Amino acid sequence: MNTPKTYKVKGMHCASCAGIIEKTFKKTEGVQSVEVNYGTETAKVAFDPAKTSPHHLSEKIEKLGYSLVVPEDTAMAMDASKMGMSANEHAAHLGLNQSKKEKLAEVADMRAKVISAIPLAIFAAFVMGWDILAQYGVVGEMSYTIKEFFHHLLPIFATYILFVVGKPYLMGFYRFLRYGKANMDTLIGIGTVAAFLYSLAVTALEEALRPFINVDYQYYDVTIVVITFIALGKYLEARSKIKTGDAIEKLLNLQAKTALVIRDGKEIEVSVNEVKHGDLIIVKPGAKIPVDGVITEGSSYIDESMVTGEPMPAQKKIGDSVVSGTMNTTGSFTFKATKVGSETLLAQIIKMVEEAQGSRAPIQALADKISSVFVPITLVIAFVTLGAWLLFGTSSLGFSQALSYGLVSFVGVLVIACPCALGLATPTAIIVGVGKGAKEGILIKDAATLEKLHKVDTVIVDKTGTITIGKPTLVDIENLSDQKDEELVSILASLEKKSEHPIAHAIVNYAEEKKLSTNEVSNFEGIQGKGLKGSINGIEYFVGNTKLIKELGISFDVSKIDEFTAQGKTPVILATKEKVLGFVMVSDEIKAESKQAVADLHKLGIKVVMLTGDDEKAAKYIASLVGIDEVVAHVLPQDKLAKIKELQSHGKVVAMAGDGVNDAPALAQADVGIAMGAGTDVAIESAGMTLLGGDISKLVKAIKLSKMTMRGIKQNLFWAFIYNIIGIPLAAGVFYPIFGWLLNPVFAGFAMAMSSVSVVTNSLRIKAKKL
């Protein structure tokens, strides 16, 4: 099967539109799979290029009022393909992404029409209100002159509203008659056209029809107010939908447009798309980093909040990685480009967020099925309602009244039925949830992962790099001499500077962080498996483990060291030929946020299991400090897989947080695989979710986000279902024989417009909530 490609779709106005496009594409030869998302207004299509093309697919749906946005500029497409990007991605990187501008222009047009319609709707509502209140004696009857004035003015208003503001609904009606395809526009079109034509017939043939029906009832006001309410609702919905997707826009805006590159010994400013692998790029204070790379000269503090979510700028020096889209704060530096174009972390994040926002959650399946058959079923209900009123109402109410009530109910059913609320319930919440996650450094691969995460009851974590920092750190100093601690560490660092051992690096790094000076070492010599020796200012020092001290024949109480080693720490002893001066303990330090993160997971009712290849005693000690529930030590990667399967066999929903490389089988087996990514080497593709910066506290935020998003989706679906379950029977007049309730189509139109707006607004609430 060919790789699916995503295209923007123009002309989608409701959830049933997605169903129509999907069915049309599925019937097209060469199409292998298709997924149309109303929330993001995109179509994800896999097709055989030998049998069909995007232009051909667009032609298939153009007659139905839709079109695919296919990149036209071949040069741009070729340039983009060199960089491994789609032309749309390329356009976005060049700042040429027009879809937002088009959307804003569309919203501006909707706004202009709504503004022109509102005064007419207020006027029509005033006339309708006067009429109703006069029937109950609250106000006096209209005079004949005023009545005649309104009688001739309302048809003019209704004609403008129907043919200008209501044009999309008329087109929906026309396409239904011509192609037999019905969407929400069709329902509104049929309802308002029926009300308008009935009223027009009564106006034109008033005297001829008077013996048969009540010619005092006309429904121009229904046409005016219903279309205005629905147009207002669509405008508010479109404006809100732009806000739901602003996470992608913010990510695109992070991309630098140009780069200062050294070519032939000169500094030249080039477009970011012209940067090649290996280019040396100068970054000045306040500038954005254009591509990913490694610092070769200089140092600075870089604001990496877009990658890590951490507000404090990170110190960067020679050899450190930098990421495109992050902001340089103080110093200047030069770096070598290692990843350009679509390879950069920012490009991967944008692609992942876009795909996740466009993906479908399993919870959406039922709503999609209902949306696909909703319009035809509603049409049937509307015609059955009209028939029932005429059939059963004529005997008790008379033909004139039965026809009047039947028409009101017919229009009401068509207008109140809203597949949009159902269609928007899940995608809008997913778009907002995924976008909010991206801002926090939580990358979600698809909607299914976001849905599964809220059910997780067991989290498996790796010790190294997840609970602990993942590199040796000097954590304790035991001074047995009369020298200061700083002097002791300075001697150790001077000697260890010549060693390549990771533990030596931990001591040297500690000295550098504390700005301790080091001395010149002479007669340096490594002692295999035990340590090293060297002279400073004529004094010979020995650095190593307990075996070295025993060999030197120095008496030394090792009980304190044994106590530390039981905690998983490694001793480094400093001695002269005569005595031990002291020792430092080096260990993989627990991350500052680990203890709080585990406590927060417990508050969410989640059990935490730590798997490690380390010694059991040391692992249990670290687990006790952090508050972990269960420890499994001495495990190999395949053992992790077995542990996950065992937990799943007991009905547990398991999330596994690992480094995304050696944990790949376990991440794949877990219900939710979470890669703890740090820097640019994060394996985004290997897990359902990636926590940038490798911060375990983000796992808590991710679970909270999942619960928040799923709560929003369930609320949306509940209200969308309830609204239609109550609204359609009410509009049809089912309650009229029992309670005398009959819903005016005007209120039906208002309810329908507000149902979509309320769903989008409820989804936007997720944005404002704190994780």
Side-chain angles (χ1 to χ4, degrees), residues 397-435:
L397 300 168
F399 177 75
S400 174
Q401 192 72 3
L403 178 62
S404 180
Y405 283 180
L407 187 68
V408 164
S409 299
F410 174 77
V411 176
V413 167
L414 291 174
V415 167
I416 203 165
C418 184
C420 292
L422 280 173
L424 288 167
T426 307
T428 51
I430 294 290
I431 291 166
V432 175
V434 168

Side-chain angles (χ1 to χ4, degrees), residues 606-661:
I606 293 166
K607 180 184 177 182
V608 184
V609 179
M610 185 174 84
L611 304 184
T612 178
D614 288 0
D615 170 67
E616 191 171 356
K617 236 181 183 181
K620 281 191 171 168
Y621 174 74
I622 283 175
S624 68
L625 292 179
V626 181
I628 281 164
D629 303 295
E630 188 185 333
V631 176
V632 184
H634 301 294
V635 293
L636 298 168
Q638 57 266 36
D639 300 329
K640 291 179 183 179
L641 187 69
K643 181 66 184 173
I644 291 170
K645 284 182 178 175
E646 180 200 317
L647 286 164
Q648 287 171 331
S649 69
H650 290 120
K652 300 288 182 189
V653 181
V654 181
M656 162 83 188
D659 61 16
V661 184

Side-chain angles (χ1 to χ4, degrees), residues 68 75 84 100 106 136 154 174-175 187 193 230 253 268 271 498 572 598 635 654 673 691-692 722 742 751 764:
L68 288 185
K100 177 80 184 280
E106 196 183 311
Y136 293 100
L154 284 178
Y174 163 74
R175 289 187 196 106
L187 298 181
V193 165
I230 289 164
N253 288 339
I268 56 163
S271 161
K498 300 213 171 244
V572 179
V598 171
V635 293
V654 181
L691 306 181
L692 294 174
I722 286 293
L742 195 64
L764 284 170

